[in-house]
Amino acid sequence: MFGDPSQAEVPLPSRPESAATARRLTQVVVLRHWGLGAAITEDAVLLVSELVGNAVRHTGARVFGLRLRRRPRWIRVEVRDPSRGLPCLMPVQELDISGRGLFLVDALADRWGVDLLPRGKTTWFDMRITDR
């Protein structure tokens, strides 16, 4: 049904239910294909859900792309969309129930960022796998 996001970018429709698809794809790649542990898999699944949620809610895109890359000691998860609007890390209060997406990415990923493209952007995060 969907491709392998570790081989090529997988296009997904910009709908809320695509977050579940992105989580499943991430879990399969990180846990089964790459054989990494449950903790890094859980964190990657949570953070991909946050990036996908941002792409669906804030970009006006019809489709976004998901890509997972493994390098020595690192994994990178990328979500590409056609909007050039930059995501913003907002301060989060203890009782906030929304707006925590990038706060979680900032807290759990080793690094994250946004690469502007000629048509859109890629929001990404890296996680170190050697010391987990």
Side-chain angles (χ1 to χ4, degrees):
M1 182 171 169
F2 292 102
D4 179 348
S6 69
Q7 300 300 315
E9 182 178 283
V10 173
L12 296 169
S14 189
R15 296 193 300 254
E17 56 269 21
S18 288
T21 302
R23 286 191 298 269
R24 280 193 305 276
L25 288 169
T26 302
Q27 183 175 29
V28 166
V29 169
V30 175
L31 189 61
R32 294 190 189 145
H33 290 352
W34 293 344
L36 301 177
I40 193 167
T41 300
E42 288 174 20
D43 286 351
V45 166
L46 172 63
L47 298 187
V48 80
S49 187
E50 297 299 335
L51 293 189
V52 166
N54 284 348
V56 170
R57 279 190 298 277
H58 302 299
T59 67
R62 283 192 266 165
V63 175
F64 65 90
L66 173 66
R67 178 98 195 244
L68 283 72
R69 299 173 189 255
R70 182 167 180 190
R71 297 173 306 208
R73 298 183 299 277
W74 293 92
I75 65 168
R76 173 170 283 199
V77 176
E78 303 173 345
V79 174
R80 187 185 55 79
D81 66 71
S83 169
R84 288 179 55 88
L86 296 176
C88 184
L89 179 61
M90 303 293 289
V92 175
Q93 303 301 316
E94 187 175 334
L95 299 177
D96 288 348
I97 57 172
S98 67
R100 291 181 176 261
L102 286 180
F103 177 80
L104 288 171
V105 173
D106 192 59
L108 296 176
D110 291 290
R111 56 187 177 213
W112 69 276
V114 180
D115 296 332
L116 284 176
L117 306 170
R119 294 188 178 167
K121 68 179 174 298
T122 299
T123 306
W124 54 269
F125 65 84
D126 288 340
M127 299 174 81
R128 191 182 323 265
I129 57 175
T130 54
D131 54 4
R132 291 183 181 256

